[in-house]
Amino acid sequence: MLELDHLVVACLDLDDGAAWLRERLGVPLAPGGQHAGWGTHNRLLQLGGGVYLELIAPDPSQPEPDAPRPFMLDDAALRARLKRRPHLVHWLVRADDLDRELRGLGYLPGTVTPMTRGALRWRIALPTGGRPAGDGLLPSVIQWDVPMTEHPTARLPEAGVRLAGLAVRGPRAVLERRPKVTAPVPLEWVESRGGAALGVDDPHVDEAGAARRGQEHEPCRVPDEDVDREALA
């Protein structure tokens, strides 16, 4: 079984990206850490229901990695867009048995790579070229080799932000390979003949790019202009 695990928002500078998100969501992100050898670092935000948001950026304190950074962070077209603002670029699903789930997928998400940070241990299927399957529309798969009581969402503080829905818009050739994923929120796959995009949706607003801060707050709008397959905004 595959379950929605986390969303990936990319930026060029972690402090700037965190400030951008805080302006829109009204809450700070929690500290994350470094991905040693990959040239990246992150911050995290609790979204509820076993799901979190990862803000990821190149880590200037690390040497240039031997391989491209994950999630297209070294892609020239995406970096040009990240100069304007952060973008939602990818999403991940978790598996109890990574090897079994990978054998049943209709696409190749990448090579299984073990990673650790502190007490956290996980394995993740990462493409060697840094570009996820379906240009980021098809999820990468992760297996946490720790109990769910040690999962990032079990450690992250309550922030008052809740994911309301996730929409994946792309061409039929990509959507035909979509996996079966369970999620605590509506997960919508929409065929599109134009640009492809990921969007977090408010169920009451038919437009990509919304997150909601609890029931007592109005939806927080995250603009989604200039969307195309390369940007995945």
Side-chain angles (χ1 to χ4, degrees), residues 36-205:
W38 290 94
T40 58
H41 57 169
N42 66 6
R43 293 186 191 174
L44 310 176
L45 180 67
Q46 173 77 259
L47 295 179
V51 181
Y52 68 99
L53 180 149
E54 175 185 18
L55 177 69
I56 191 168
D59 184 357
S61 71
Q62 294 189 52
E64 285 294 311
D66 295 331
R69 292 177 177 86
F71 311 136
M72 302 176 286
L73 280 172
D74 291 330
D75 179 80
L78 178 60
R79 289 180 68 88
R81 290 167 175 83
L82 294 181
K83 290 180 179 179
R84 298 200 300 267
R85 63 177 178 88
H87 287 268
L88 174 63
V89 295
H90 197 38
W91 57 302
L92 284 85
V93 295
R94 60 179 175 264
D96 294 328
D97 187 331
L98 180 61
D99 297 325
R100 182 190 65 203
E101 294 293 349
L102 292 181
R103 289 194 296 269
L105 285 182
Y107 59 95
L108 298 175
T111 302
V112 175
T113 304
M115 301 182 75
T116 62
R117 185 171 68 240
L120 283 176
R121 303 186 310 278
W122 67 96
R123 293 187 298 144
I124 181 173
L126 289 174
T128 55
R131 181 175 290 275
D135 285 342
L137 296 178
L138 296 172
S140 292
V141 186
I142 187 171
Q143 177 178 322
W144 294 97
D145 292 325
V146 293
M148 278 302 290
T149 53
E150 298 296 319
H151 184 265
T153 57
R155 298 171 171 233
L156 286 170
E158 176 58 53
V161 176
R162 287 291 179 268
L163 180 67
L166 177 66
V168 183
R169 297 176 175 85
R172 178 181 299 179
V174 172
L175 268 57
E176 285 177 344
R177 295 180 286 156
R178 65 185 182 270
K180 184 177 181 180
V181 177
T182 62
V185 297
L187 172 57
E188 185 180 18
W189 299 83
V190 181
E191 183 178 347
S192 172
R193 296 183 180 180
L198 293 174
V200 285
D201 297 331
D202 185 279
H204 304 296
V205 181

